[in-house]
Amino acid sequence: MHWCKHFVHYYLITQFVLSIASINCLAQDDRSVKRIDSIIKAAQGRALAMLANIDTVCPSPYWPNIKPSLFLANLRKNILYPTKINQGKATNFCGYAAFTHILLKYQPDTYTRIIISFYKTGKADLYRRTVKPSLRVRDAAGTLKRKGELDVLHADQLWFLTMADTYKGYLNIFDHKYQPGDENTFWAATNYGKFNRMLREFGDYKVKKVGSDMIRPWKKDLFGYLAQQLDSGIVMMYINSKLTHPTKHSFFRLPAPTHFVVLYNLYREGDLIQIQYWDYGLRTEQIITKKRLKKMTFGISTITKK
Amino acid sequence: MRNYCIYLLSLMLIALIISCSGSKKNRKSVTYYNDNKTAILELRNLYDSLYSQQPFSVGFTDNTYTYYVMEITTDTVRYIYNTEKSEQQLYHAIERFHYDTTQLRKLATKMKEIKCLWLDKASFYLNEIKDTVTFLSFRSVTIENPFVENKYYVLLFIRRPIDTPLLRSKVKKGDLVKLDELVYFTIGNRFR
């Protein structure tokens, strides 16, 4: 049985290396784009095949409040529409949602394997460690209310609560144990270091990072740097979300990062910049100034390859 | 002893002023709603009609109600444009999504008239059934007191009467104030 587990790991890692390598090195021509699409489609197919083998009626003994029908519908939706995943209303799950979007987009089979393992056995083997969510979060998953669509997305509740329970940073130091309602408190907050650690451990990605929780990245030409990073891999940004929706209603705005997004594209339009990024379950397009881009950006993480 | 009494009286006076200002804040939404009831109804009808064409939210980015911002949402993309930095792109988007420009202009004028900061819809779930609520936010109290965290008044319009234990407890606690069967208001630190 042990050799079987190793074989599965080896197979998944090989697939991952292939997909990332393809994305990085061959994304220049149409043939490569088609190849990437076919690799991702194949991974989606494997993920859906895993779903087909799950008992759709009996609830999991580890997750008493997760409804199998809602769990499976959510899982299917996540595999088929990886962009749609979002953190729900009034939660601090944005970091986990941004990272899961990447995992779903490029490794839907890995995501499905891990979440099914959580559901069936109450724990899962990642690339570098075994994760076992606490009883508190296992009881809480499926009971979150007044979170918008997240109320009925039981797989997302399980996933986000498990990630928040597993990964801890200095922001969570005074609130380690989950209490009902903690999904929008410091218990669920993600600082930049924790976010990068999650990327490395959960997805086994190689991450290049600039910036921090307090000081913006020291880049003279931030637009040029971001464009360059987009050419070399997948770019995630740690930003102040209030600056993506600038208003003059407030006298004071805390100069600190609050949100994680995935950068898709960046274009110059005269003096302005058109930025395209994933945020809250949608591809988002807007025009901002160079100054605003600089002010809102606190961290840039680039996933290159394993 | 005399000084002590003066201090005590001053403290009581301050406490009285604070409590009065608090109750005044709570009344503001009721006054605003009653004063602008017809305009708000018209605004909501216009918004519902335009929203059915393509979902969007709209508001102002500044205190002088000069620049509009519009967020148009499709199944997969969210476009955020405003009249301050991306006016041309906003007009192109309006054209692309075939919005009725007369209605849109009326909506914009009406919003400015009643100083509405933001107009949006959000979904919520009751017994796993999806429903939507329309939000209308206005006036920030920070204009009155710069040292207070930003607070906005938000009117909520539901589509059918709701009676759940959670809603009742929220009303009891004062988190939500019922204005009529389908209208509530709350004070929040976000206007959108």
Side-chain angles (χ1 to χ4, degrees):
Chain A
M1 206 55 205
H2 205 65
W3 68 267
C4 186
K5 195 174 140 188
H6 279 293
F7 175 76
V8 169
H9 266 216
Y10 175 74
Y11 175 72
L12 288 168
I13 288 166
T14 314
Q15 285 300 321
F16 172 76
V17 171
L18 262 175
S19 62
I20 292 289
S22 311
I23 290 155
N24 287 338
C25 312
L26 304 167
Q28 307 302 324
D29 54 44
D30 282 352
R31 243 182 18 193
S32 327
V33 173
K34 275 179 191 161
R35 195 176 157 212
I36 293 162
D37 281 348
S38 72
I39 290 169
I40 292 171
K41 277 264 179 297
Q44 270 186 347
R46 285 193 297 277
L48 291 171
M50 278 186 244
L51 270 195
N53 296 324
I54 295 188
D55 182 350
T56 56
V57 183
C58 293
S60 163
Y62 297 95
W63 306 87
N65 297 307
I66 296 273
K67 277 192 177 178
S69 56
L70 293 178
F71 174 79
L72 292 170
N74 185 188
L75 216 50
R76 188 173 294 277
K77 185 187 160 203
N78 283 351
I79 295 164
L80 293 171
Y81 309 103
T83 316
K84 291 267 179 193
I85 191 159
N86 68 74
Q87 61 268 34
K89 297 245 185 281
T91 71
N92 284 344
F93 292 153
C94 65
Y96 315 117
F99 156 63
T100 313
H101 162 58
I102 291 299
L103 196 65
L104 277 168
K105 198 170 173 186
Y106 297 106
Q107 294 174 269
D109 46 351
T110 306
Y111 163 81
T112 311
R113 175 185 63 83
I114 296 171
I115 200 166
I116 287 175
S117 177
F118 279 136
Y119 183 67
K120 281 183 169 173
T121 64
K123 60 181 180 177
D125 291 326
L126 307 184
Y127 291 97
R128 299 180 194 183
R129 64 188 279 194
T130 299
V131 171
K132 199 176 173 187
S134 68
L135 183 66
R136 283 166 188 257
V137 298
R138 284 197 273 124
D139 286 344
T143 64
L144 302 189
K145 292 280 175 285
R146 289 180 288 131
K147 307 290 173 208
E149 210 187 350
L150 189 64
D151 290 9
V152 291
L153 300 176
H154 282 199
D156 290 350
Q157 287 192 27
L158 178 158
W159 185 258
F160 294 149
L161 285 168
T162 300
M163 289 184 98
D165 187 53
T166 308
Y167 289 93
K168 296 292 172 194
Y170 70 87
L171 288 176
N172 320 108
I173 209 156
F174 296 113
D175 195 0
H176 255 267
K177 286 184 180 169
Y178 177 81
Q179 303 284 342
D182 268 354
E183 52 281 351
N184 42 353
T185 66
F186 273 105
W187 174 82
T190 306
N191 59 294
Y192 193 44
K194 169 176 153 178
F195 180 73
N196 287 312
R197 201 168 69 242
M198 270 185 332
L199 284 178
R200 286 190 198 102
E201 288 186 10
F202 226 93
D204 204 26
Y205 299 123
K206 185 180 175 188
V207 183
K208 180 184 166 193
K209 67 176 181 91
V210 290
S212 69
D213 291 321
M214 309 293 275
I215 302 159
R216 297 180 182 91
W218 184 251
K219 296 285 170 197
K220 258 190 181 173
D221 177 18
L222 190 62
F223 174 88
Y225 178 76
L226 285 167
Q228 189 194 359
Q229 292 307 302
L230 277 171
D231 284 341
S232 61
I234 302 157
V235 181
M236 310 189 82
M237 292 171 76
Y238 190 28
I239 60 168
N240 182 325
S241 61
K242 295 230 165 170
L243 287 163
T244 56
H245 298 93
T247 62
K248 288 163 191 157
H249 300 311
S250 50
F251 287 93
F252 176 71
R253 195 182 291 117
L254 194 70
T258 53
H259 193 50
F260 291 92
V261 297
V262 181
L263 184 65
Y264 283 164
N265 262 317
L266 211 60
Y267 304 104
R268 267 190 221 279
E269 282 198 13
D271 291 342
L272 299 166
I273 293 165
Q274 192 194 100
I275 182 168
Q276 297 177 355
Y277 56 96
W278 172 92
D279 181 25
Y280 200 83
L282 288 172
R283 180 190 186 92
T284 305
E285 277 188 32
Q286 72 179 121
I287 309 267
I288 54 170
T289 57
K290 256 191 203 173
K291 192 180 164 189
R292 192 161 296 282
L293 178 70
K294 201 160 191 171
K295 269 180 95 176
M296 76 181 199
T297 308
F298 281 80
I300 303 160
S301 297
T302 312
I303 298 170
T304 47
K305 58 184 174 180
K306 229 178 84 68
Chain B
M1 187 62 193
R2 202 180 153 193
N3 275 349
Y4 177 74
C5 284
I6 290 169
Y7 286 139
L8 198 69
L9 273 171
S10 311
L11 272 173
M12 283 166 70
L13 195 68
I14 290 165
L16 189 74
I17 291 166
I18 291 168
S19 65
C20 287
S21 66
S23 62
K24 190 183 159 200
K25 274 177 206 167
N26 287 348
R27 283 203 302 273
K28 264 186 178 173
S29 293
V30 186
T31 319
Y32 176 86
Y33 178 63
N34 289 331
D35 288 354
N36 300 295
K37 214 169 187 173
T38 325
I40 288 173
L41 183 70
E42 208 178 318
L43 188 69
R44 282 182 52 215
N45 288 338
L46 278 167
Y47 182 55
D48 285 345
S49 157
L50 288 159
Y51 192 91
S52 63
Q53 237 162 304
Q54 186 66 48
F56 72 100
S57 53
V58 63
F60 289 96
T61 57
D62 59 326
N63 290 327
T64 54
Y65 301 90
T66 311
Y67 301 112
Y68 292 93
V69 59
M70 197 168 169
E71 281 191 25
I72 303 168
T73 316
T74 70
D75 280 349
T76 51
V77 188
R78 178 192 298 118
Y79 301 93
I80 307 173
Y81 296 127
N82 63 51
T83 51
E84 188 181 7
K85 299 277 183 217
S86 43
E87 198 170 10
Q88 282 310 310
Q89 287 85 351
L90 176 64
Y91 294 148
H92 287 317
I94 289 168
E95 214 169 49
R96 197 183 338 149
F97 291 105
H98 308 294
Y99 283 115
D100 183 333
T101 45
T102 318
Q103 277 194 341
L104 205 58
R105 197 167 295 122
K106 264 189 198 170
L107 179 95
T109 316
K110 203 74 17 225
M111 280 181 75
K112 196 169 183 170
E113 264 173 33
I114 63 167
K115 296 191 168 171
C116 162
L117 281 181
W118 195 259
L119 199 52
D120 196 2
K121 281 182 194 282
S123 56
F124 63 98
Y125 284 78
L126 271 181
N127 302 321
E128 293 171 22
I129 298 164
K130 192 176 180 175
D131 208 340
T132 52
V133 57
T134 306
F135 288 93
L136 188 155
S137 62
F138 62 97
R139 264 186 237 162
S140 163
V141 289
T142 49
I143 292 159
E144 293 160 14
N145 186 353
F147 302 108
V148 171
E149 191 198 3
N150 265 0
K151 293 284 176 198
Y152 301 96
Y153 301 103
V154 184
L155 286 169
L156 300 116
F157 302 91
I158 49 175
R159 296 197 305 178
R160 57 187 173 82
I162 296 172
D163 188 27
T164 61
L166 183 75
L167 188 72
R168 277 200 298 272
S169 80
K170 280 198 155 270
V171 171
K172 202 176 170 186
K173 271 193 223 164
D175 292 346
L176 276 178
V177 178
K178 193 174 180 176
L179 298 181
D180 70 41
E181 207 60 28
L182 298 173
V183 186
Y184 290 80
F185 93 80
T186 183
I187 298 175
N189 56 4
R190 294 172 63 173
F191 70 94
R192 54 179 296 279

